[in-house]
């Protein structure tokens, strides 16, 4: 090989190697990151030791938690026992939250307690008449506290015991509807406040984290929530055959309660617009989750026939048509009034 050719090849190889070793801005390596700390490796003895301690701690936590909640539930049950007990209990909670924790003077706290208790008693006495617009505040307090007790019990119930809440909730609903004439106006606001986000009772005992049970509604007057989230949810697995009756109970109870809460013209509008919608919701629920989809479909058709003038009727028709097509081996035309194409006459053809 000639010397000049050899030098050329060597210089080219050196240049190529230099370019390969010198990164360009486009291919420069990213900044080094700190590697994640390696998880500790425990010996079998260490694992057993930690798990044993956790078992003991869990037992202690559950015992302390049970003792704390038992004490709170006992106080709530005592408060529900009478009107005066409920008023005093609510007043004490209000003063604790709105005076003592805000470091108000003893005189200011005493004045607030007197004001709250006097106001509660005045409203309660005014509510002795079923026709009074303010309603019976003490009775409302007792219902609110009663529902708060149920909510705490539901939160603490194990999954396998949750169904035991059903008869308690049904008894509450029955009593709530029966007392509806005395729970109108301001009393209704008081009832909802006891379990609401700004409840002095919940704030006084720091209960908010104990009121998050799945399949349980916190609102003490939400019939839809109480039935859909709890009663119907449990019935799906425990007694599917009872779901149609439960739905009838839900509609009838809410109608009876609203009749006492609303002015007559408002109630008539509610019956006109909302009862058919609830009937449709019942039918579609039974179609989707009931023991017989055919029976649910029949109920859907029945609702459409009974309420053809309802604003939602066109969408009901479309929804039922979709359900029928989905259940048919040969889907029907989307427009039943359309004229089918003529069948070709093939007579005499070869």
């Amino acid at each position: 090989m000639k010397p000049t050719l050899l030098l050329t090849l060597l210089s080219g190889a050196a240049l190529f190697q230099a370019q390969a070793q010198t990164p360009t801005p486009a291919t420069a390596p990213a900044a080094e990151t700190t590697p994640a700390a390696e998880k500790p490796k425990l010996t079998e003895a260490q694992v057993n030791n930690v798990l044993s301690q956790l078992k003991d701690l869990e037992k202690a936590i559950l015992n302390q938690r049970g003792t704390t909640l038992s004490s709170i539930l006992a106080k709530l049950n005592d408060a529900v026992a009478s009107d005066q007990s409920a008023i005093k209990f609510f007043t004490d909670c209000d003063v604790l939250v709105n005076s003592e924790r805000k470091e108000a003077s003893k005189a200011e706290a005493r004045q607030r307690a007197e004001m709250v208790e006097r106001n509660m008693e005045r409203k309660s006495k005014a509510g002795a008449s079923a026709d009074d617009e303010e309603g019976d505040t003490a009775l409302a307090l007792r219902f609110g506290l009663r529902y708060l007790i149920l909510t705490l019990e539901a939160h603490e119930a194990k999954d396998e015991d949750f169904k035991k809440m059903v008869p308690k909730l049904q008894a509450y609903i029955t009593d709530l509807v029966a007392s509806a004439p005395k729970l109108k106006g301001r009393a209704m606001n008081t009832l909802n406040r006891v379990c609401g986000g700004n409840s002095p009772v919940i704030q006084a005992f720091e209960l908010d984290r104990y009121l998050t049970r799945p399949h349980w509604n916190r609102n003490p007057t939400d019939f839809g929530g109480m039935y859909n989230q709890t009663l119907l949810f449990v019935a799906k697995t425990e007694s599917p055959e009872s779901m149609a009756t439960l739905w009838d109970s839900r509609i009838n109870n809410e109608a009876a309660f609203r009749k006492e809460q609303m002015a007559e013209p408002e109630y008539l509008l509610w019956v006109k617009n909302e009862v058919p919608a609830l009937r449709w919701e019942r039918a579609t629920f039974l179609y989707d989750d009931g023991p017989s989809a055919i029976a649910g479909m029949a109920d859907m058709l029945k609702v459409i026939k009974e309420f053809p003038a309802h604003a939602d009727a066109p969408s009901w028709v479309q929804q039922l048509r979709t359900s029928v097509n989905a259940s048919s081996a040969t889907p029907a035309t989307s427009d039943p009034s359309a004229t089918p194409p003529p069948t070709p006459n093939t007579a005499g053809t070869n």
Side-chain angles (χ1 to χ4, degrees):
M1 181 179 291
K2 295 182 180 180
T4 54
L5 179 57
L6 179 61
L7 289 174
T8 301
L9 291 173
L10 291 174
S11 62
L15 178 62
F16 176 80
Q17 184 177 11
Q19 289 176 339
Q21 293 177 350
T22 305
T24 61
T27 59
E32 292 186 4
T33 57
T34 304
E38 186 178 356
K39 297 293 188 294
K41 301 296 184 183
L42 301 179
T43 65
E44 183 178 356
Q46 290 173 320
V47 169
N48 292 335
N49 180 270
V50 173
L51 292 179
S52 177
Q53 292 186 61
L54 286 176
K55 184 177 180 180
D56 293 339
L57 284 170
E58 183 179 35
K59 183 177 180 180
I61 289 170
L62 290 176
N63 287 337
Q64 183 176 350
R65 177 191 181 96
T67 301
T68 301
L69 283 178
S70 295
S71 174
I72 294 172
L73 286 170
K75 293 178 181 179
L76 289 171
N77 278 298
D78 288 342
V80 171
S82 68
D83 290 354
Q84 289 301 318
S85 298
I87 291 173
K88 185 177 186 311
F89 180 79
F90 188 84
T91 301
D92 290 345
C93 291
D94 184 277
V95 171
L96 173 64
V97 171
N98 294 305
S99 293
E100 294 180 12
R101 287 182 181 171
K102 295 180 180 179
E103 298 183 341
S105 66
K106 291 184 178 180
E108 291 173 328
R110 185 167 56 252
Q111 289 175 357
R112 182 173 182 87
E114 292 173 353
M115 178 193 70
V116 173
E117 190 166 359
R118 186 169 56 249
N119 196 31
M120 287 289 176
E121 288 180 344
R122 178 182 63 80
K123 292 178 182 178
S124 180
K125 291 177 181 177
S129 169
D131 296 328
D132 193 284
E133 292 184 358
E134 288 193 348
D136 189 335
T137 303
L139 180 64
L141 278 178
R142 293 170 69 184
F143 268 106
L145 293 172
R146 180 176 168 184
Y147 194 76
L148 185 57
I149 291 171
L150 292 179
T151 304
L152 286 171
E153 290 178 350
H155 184 276
E156 293 303 294
K158 297 179 180 178
D159 290 343
E160 60 270 21
D161 295 329
F162 186 63
K163 61 185 177 182
K164 295 179 181 178
M165 297 303 303
V166 167
K168 295 182 179 182
L169 181 57
Q170 289 176 319
Y172 168 84
I173 292 173
T174 298
D175 294 343
L176 181 70
V177 173
S179 301
K182 296 182 180 181
L183 296 175
K184 58 182 63 177
R186 294 183 181 179
M188 183 71 167
N189 294 334
T190 300
L191 168 56
N192 287 319
R193 185 188 176 198
V194 174
C195 299
N198 295 321
S199 167
V201 179
I202 292 176
Q203 293 180 31
F205 291 95
E206 302 177 56
L207 295 176
D208 204 56
R209 287 186 172 86
Y210 295 90
L211 306 176
T212 56
R213 169 78 197 207
H215 308 297
W216 186 271
N217 190 284
R218 277 183 59 171
N219 188 327
T221 58
D222 182 1
F223 289 88
M226 288 185 280
Y227 275 90
N228 291 339
Q229 290 183 236
T230 303
L231 299 180
L232 288 165
F233 166 76
V234 173
K236 283 183 184 180
T237 54
E238 296 295 323
S239 55
E241 70 284 353
S242 70
M243 290 194 290
T245 302
L246 277 174
W247 255 106
D248 293 336
S249 174
R250 180 250 199 268
I251 295 172
N252 293 336
N253 279 327
E254 181 164 4
F257 190 81
R258 285 182 176 271
K259 187 175 183 179
E260 299 297 337
Q261 298 294 311
M262 306 171 77
E264 183 68 15
E266 291 177 324
Y267 175 70
L268 292 176
L269 283 175
W270 183 85
V271 171
K272 174 186 175 183
N273 295 314
E274 300 306 322
V275 169
L278 287 172
R279 289 272 306 278
W280 178 258
E281 187 179 348
R282 172 190 184 276
T284 55
F285 178 93
L286 294 175
Y287 171 74
D288 291 330
D289 299 303
S292 171
I294 295 296
M297 191 177 291
D299 283 342
M300 293 166 72
L301 183 60
K302 183 179 180 181
V303 172
I304 296 173
K305 288 182 176 180
E306 288 186 24
F307 306 103
H310 193 275
D312 295 336
S315 64
W316 295 345
V317 170
Q318 184 58 43
Q319 189 174 345
L320 179 54
R321 179 179 290 126
T322 300
S323 299
V324 170
N325 280 335
S327 303
S328 173
T330 306
T333 175
S334 60
D335 183 4
S337 63
T339 302
T343 303
N345 185 3
T346 58
T349 59
N350 293 326

